[in-house]
Structures are given as structure tokens and as C-alpha cells.
Amino acid sequence: KVTVTVTPNDGSADGEPVESSVVTVLNTAPTPPSIAISPVAPTDADALVCEIVADGLDVDEDALTYTITWTVDGSDPGETSDTLSSDFFDRDQVVRCFARPNDGTDDGEEVQSNSIIIENTPPSIDSVVISPRPAVTSDGLTCSYSGFSDQDGDSDASSYAWTVNGSDAGSSSTLSGSFVGDDVVECTVTPFDGTDEGTALSTSL
């Protein structure tokens, strides 16, 4: 609260002082922060974080808090923490976060983050086996794998690659007539979901 008292003076003596009415200095709302979503190239397996890159400013030097909200393809998922679980979004969806500062008295202007597009998650497999084991020259070999998993629910389009003593020998799930005794036969399976390849696994005999 501010008051002003004015005392007139004619160069010789003061007159009767006059006091102004009381003026109350109001709170100044804070300025918005700078925010960003991390990671910058998320997949459906990641949790997103709305980071305060630079705090907002408050000329009254009040401590600031922030209200965080999110949108997924423009809709509010109802999450108000600074972390958004992958349960709330899927591949190819657009995610944004918003932050509104508060100084304990007033809200400041809301600010919007960069937009993040959820990327594809590469698939994975658990194991690869060649059968029969052991094998003889007359055997036909079969390469099989298990545990195909894709976070985005894509179809299995995994590929096979055979080598005999390090040289390419085929790309189907079976191999015959390309090896003799003491050859080293290897099968590599690369998980593929139609968009990205996962980590390849190999086995040999």
C-alpha cells in the first residue's frame, strides 16, 4: 500500500500537509516458461516428459509453480503430471504439452511445447534355432525363431539369411544341398514389421 504526503512551502514556511488516498500495488502475473517434450524421437515404448527448459519470470519475485496439461491428436488425455505414459498414445499420433505459470496469486499465460510425432517401434525376436541338430549332408535344414514382438501390433514380416562358411546360401526358412561335412552353416533372422528392422539374431551348426 502506497500513500503520498505533499507539504506546501513558500520558501519561508511549510503549509498544512495533505495526504493522498491509499493506493494498493497489485500483483503482476508471471511470464510463461520455455518448455519442450523429451525424448525428441519417441516411440510407443517411451514415456514423454514435459520439461521446463527455462523458468518464467515474476517481477514480484514470487516462487512459481506450473500447471501441466497434454493433448494427443488434439484431445486431452486427462494427465496433469509432467510425465505422460505410453498408455496414452500410439504410433503416428501428435503429442503436445502445455504449461501455465502461477505465482501464488495469479496465473500467467499458457505456453505450448513443440509437437512430437510418435515413431514406429522396431520389433524383436527371442531366439533362433536350426534343426535337425546335429545334421548330415543329406538333411534339409530348417531355421525357425520364436518370440516375435511388436509394440505397435504390426504383422510379422521377418526375413531369413543363410550362410555356408561365410558365403550367402539362401533366404528362405529352409536350406538343402548347399553344404557338406565340416561346413559351418549359419542362419540369421531379422525381425521386420513392415517399417523398421529390429535386432537380428543368428545361430549356427
Side-chain angles (χ1 to χ4, degrees):
K1 297 182 183 300
V2 179
T3 60
V4 178
T5 301
V6 178
T7 302
N9 184 282
D10 61 4
S12 299
D14 288 341
E16 186 69 22
V18 177
E19 188 175 277
S20 73
S21 59
V22 176
V23 175
T24 300
V25 178
L26 300 178
N27 180 69
T28 300
T31 62
S34 174
I35 62 175
I37 295 177
S38 65
V40 295
T43 69
D44 191 20
D46 294 316
L48 303 181
V49 178
C50 188
E51 296 183 342
I52 305 297
V53 178
D55 279 312
L57 299 177
D58 189 79
V59 296
D60 305 303
E61 299 183 351
D62 296 320
L64 300 183
T65 58
Y66 301 99
T67 299
I68 303 296
T69 55
W70 298 83
T71 61
V72 178
D73 281 349
S75 298
D76 183 358
E79 182 59 63
T80 57
S81 74
D82 61 358
T83 300
L84 186 67
S85 164
S86 60
D87 294 338
F88 291 100
F89 54 82
D90 295 308
R91 184 185 61 193
D92 297 330
Q93 290 190 303
V94 178
V95 180
R96 297 181 179 88
C97 73
F98 303 79
R100 186 182 297 276
N102 183 278
D103 61 7
T105 303
D106 292 307
D107 286 333
E109 180 182 351
E110 185 177 70
V111 65
Q112 174 180 302
S113 74
N114 54 315
S115 298
I116 291 293
I117 299 176
I118 306 304
E119 299 187 358
N120 183 65
T121 304
S124 63
I125 55 175
D126 291 337
S127 63
V128 177
V129 296
I130 296 175
S131 59
R133 180 184 293 267
V136 297
T137 303
S138 59
D139 285 331
L141 303 181
T142 298
C143 183
S144 58
Y145 61 94
S146 61
F148 179 87
S149 177
D150 186 79
Q151 180 77 19
D152 306 300
D154 295 322
S155 299
D156 184 354
S158 302
S159 63
Y160 300 87
W162 293 90
T163 61
V164 176
N165 297 326
S167 298
D168 292 341
S171 59
S172 71
S173 61
T174 59
L175 181 70
S176 61
S178 299
F179 51 89
V180 295
D182 296 328
D183 280 347
V184 176
V185 179
E186 181 176 70
C187 177
T188 299
V189 177
T190 301
F192 184 60
D193 61 6
T195 303
D196 290 310
E197 292 181 343
T199 300
L201 295 182
S202 300
T203 189
S204 61
L205 55 73

